[in-house]
Amino acid sequence: DWLPTVFPEADAVGEPIEEPPVLPVLRDGEVVGYVFETNDIAPIPAYSGHPVNMRVGMSLEGRITGVEVLDHSEPIMLVGIPETVLDDFVEQYAGKSVRQKVRVGLSRQRREGYEHVDAISGATVTVVVMGEGIMRSARQVARALEILEGGVAEPATVREDLFEEASWAELKAQGAIGHLHLTRGQVDEAFVGTDAEGVEAAPEGREEETFIDLYFAYLNVPTVGRNLLGERQFEQLMEGLAEGEHALAIMADGRYSFKGSGFVRGGIYDRVLIHHGARSDQFTDADMRRLWGVEAEGAPRLPERDIFIMREEARFDPAQPWELELLVRRQVGALDTEFVGFAAELKVPERFLEIPEPVADAMLEDDEARPLWVSVWEDRVMHIVVLGAGLGVLTFILLFQDWLAKRPRLLHTIR
């Protein structure tokens, strides 16, 4: 009874495959795709601390055919948000490709190459985790079944022997510190057209006041981490990191907190997302460390500051550009909220890293090696061929119009 929901084109189910744990689906006896559960592939804890289990259908081309919510423990659904909104949310993933980078919610910066799906008011963490679970598990299955070709690229490693003393201004000039500054007026403009328009708006004449002045940095690099944290704090942090883990500093001043006041033990910091490659990650309380002070010369006053750990399973590659997205929320009712995302990018200077050779012609795990435009062009090969031929004929006519004018019968035929 679930087959029409997750794979409408199939008419039967084949014998299960153990690795990866998927079910082939058939049409007229031929395999046309696969169905799997996200908890079997990539279980990601949501707001409750438990993952949302979903059944996902995927075609042989790596395109999602449908998604069905099977099980969840989200408390937000017990206070007035109907279950049907989750079904409406996952329906947006039908037709998405594992080669696409998908983001949830309204973002102030709609970057090229990203697909956006609508969020659910009042359930931001839940739907962000659900979306990541769908895409991450689909990519892992696609790679295991060789729908995505190529291997997994090795991440870059830090040159631990390279250290240079640097002030705050010098680190910023090198591109080692990311910066996101928002005014109250900018935030108000971002909510125009939403239900939160005018809610908590800046009084007239105060639009240029700072809403948040946020900085972030990758601390594993000694020139960055040791200058920002000081010798002792940096050594303690590095000694506490396991192999494959990465430390990020997030520091801010202003009226808006990047951590928020509603955080509960075991929950997720729901105002910060880290986008790297095609993957998005959030932090829990177990990932947070105190940043006791910023030691770099000339550092601004930043009263809210913490260190967050990217775990090994995130496969964070410091050589790739990554984004910090700040979600700004506004309450529009007893249960409903609206949010807008503001993002800033950071790329660690390459001279601080040892970068391995890239894997050729591979769609790297949780990374974008194949741009979206390539898939779009491949889907329209015939259109492009016809257009190219037509432009070729037109070019001929424009270049040789005098010659054609002397041959009226040929000119008439071409026209």
Side-chain angles (χ1 to χ4, degrees):
D1 57 342
W2 50 263
L3 194 55
T5 301
V6 298
F7 214 116
E9 297 180 5
D11 54 28
V13 176
E15 292 295 321
I17 299 174
E18 292 185 2
E19 189 58 41
V22 299
L23 280 173
V25 291
L26 316 174
R27 184 176 64 224
D28 300 329
E30 296 290 331
V31 175
V32 292
Y34 301 92
V35 172
F36 52 89
E37 294 185 15
T38 55
N39 275 12
D40 292 335
I41 310 296
I44 307 173
Y47 191 85
S48 64
H50 301 283
V52 177
N53 194 22
M54 295 163 284
R55 184 183 285 124
V56 182
M58 184 176 65
S59 71
L60 298 178
E61 295 77 33
R63 197 164 293 278
I64 295 171
T65 57
V67 183
E68 179 184 18
V69 180
L70 298 178
D71 178 63
H72 71 83
S73 304
E74 295 303 276
I76 195 69
M77 296 297 150
L78 302 177
V79 291
I81 298 179
E83 297 282 344
T84 54
V85 299
L86 294 184
D87 299 326
D88 294 339
F89 170 75
V90 298
E91 282 180 5
Q92 299 177 87
Y93 283 83
K96 298 289 188 291
S97 169
V98 293
R99 295 177 175 85
Q100 291 176 306
K101 298 166 74 173
V102 183
R103 286 194 180 179
V104 176
L106 177 64
S107 178
R108 188 62 175 170
Q109 296 95 343
R110 293 231 166 196
R111 299 187 183 275
E112 184 179 356
Y114 285 90
E115 290 287 321
H116 288 255
V117 296
D118 295 332
I120 296 174
S121 180
T124 310
V125 172
T126 299
V127 295
V128 167
V129 170
M130 288 173 64
E132 185 66 12
I134 293 169
M135 299 305 297
R136 192 182 302 180
S137 58
R139 290 191 189 100
Q140 292 185 24
V141 170
R143 177 160 295 99
L145 298 173
E146 298 184 350
I147 293 172
L148 290 177
E149 298 178 355
V152 178
E154 289 296 322
T157 55
V158 172
R159 294 182 58 187
E160 297 180 0
D161 59 333
L162 177 59
F163 170 72
E164 302 167 355
E165 290 190 5
S167 66
W168 177 273
E170 289 169 337
L171 289 173
K172 279 199 69 181
Q174 295 176 38
I177 299 178
H179 186 207
L180 176 65
H181 181 267
L182 300 174
T183 65
R184 297 181 69 178
Q186 287 175 315
V187 175
D188 291 342
E189 289 177 7
F191 282 101
V192 172
T194 71
D195 292 340
E197 181 177 351
V199 176
E200 303 176 22
E204 186 175 353
R206 299 174 64 179
E207 292 85 359
E208 296 303 315
E209 286 184 2
T210 295
F211 182 78
I212 189 170
D213 192 27
L214 184 146
Y215 298 88
F216 54 101
Y218 176 68
L219 297 177
N220 290 50
V221 170
T223 298
V224 180
R226 186 170 278 118
N227 280 303
L228 287 180
L229 306 184
E231 184 74 28
R232 182 178 178 183
Q233 191 175 188
F234 175 73
E235 293 298 336
Q236 289 177 344
L237 175 63
M238 292 299 106
E239 289 174 3
L241 292 183
E243 184 176 354
E245 293 185 340
H246 305 266
L248 311 180
I250 306 178
M251 307 158 282
D253 187 18
R255 60 185 295 115
Y256 189 74
S257 167
F258 63 78
K259 289 189 300 185
S261 57
F263 179 78
V264 294
R265 184 74 176 171
I268 292 175
Y269 290 104
D270 59 358
R271 295 187 179 185
V272 173
L273 279 167
I274 302 297
H275 302 289
H276 53 111
R279 179 175 175 136
S280 300
D281 283 284
Q282 291 179 289
F283 300 109
T284 67
D285 61 333
D287 304 321
M288 193 268 282
R289 305 284 185 273
R290 293 294 182 192
L291 201 173
W292 299 109
V294 180
E295 303 295 331
E297 180 185 351
R301 178 183 174 275
L302 299 167
E304 186 174 36
R305 53 186 186 269
D306 288 290
I307 298 169
F308 295 90
I309 310 301
M310 296 286 288
R311 302 300 179 181
E312 182 182 10
E313 57 268 22
R315 289 195 59 84
F316 182 82
D317 187 352
Q320 301 299 320
W322 55 280
E323 285 185 351
L324 182 147
E325 183 176 19
L326 179 73
L327 303 183
V328 179
R329 301 168 172 277
R330 285 186 173 177
Q331 196 79 23
V332 294
L335 301 175
D336 293 337
T337 60
E338 292 281 350
F339 74 90
V340 175
F342 297 85
E345 185 177 271
L346 178 64
K347 188 178 189 304
V348 178
E350 292 185 2
R351 63 193 183 88
F352 295 137
L353 306 170
E354 294 285 352
I355 303 175
E357 291 295 323
V359 178
D361 300 324
M363 170 63 190
L364 306 180
E365 181 172 342
D366 294 323
D367 199 4
E368 183 189 42
R370 183 179 186 177
L372 177 60
W373 66 266
V374 174
S375 300
V376 174
W377 277 59
E378 288 181 349
D379 291 341
R380 291 165 174 77
V381 171
M382 185 57 66
H383 297 78
I384 295 167
V385 170
V386 172
L387 176 62
L391 291 174
V393 172
L394 178 59
T395 302
F396 172 80
I397 293 173
L398 293 175
L399 292 176
F400 299 99
Q401 52 187 315
D402 292 341
W403 181 82
L404 285 171
K406 298 174 182 179
R407 294 163 176 79
R409 186 173 298 177
L410 177 61
L411 178 61
H412 177 74
T413 302
I414 292 177
R415 292 185 59 159

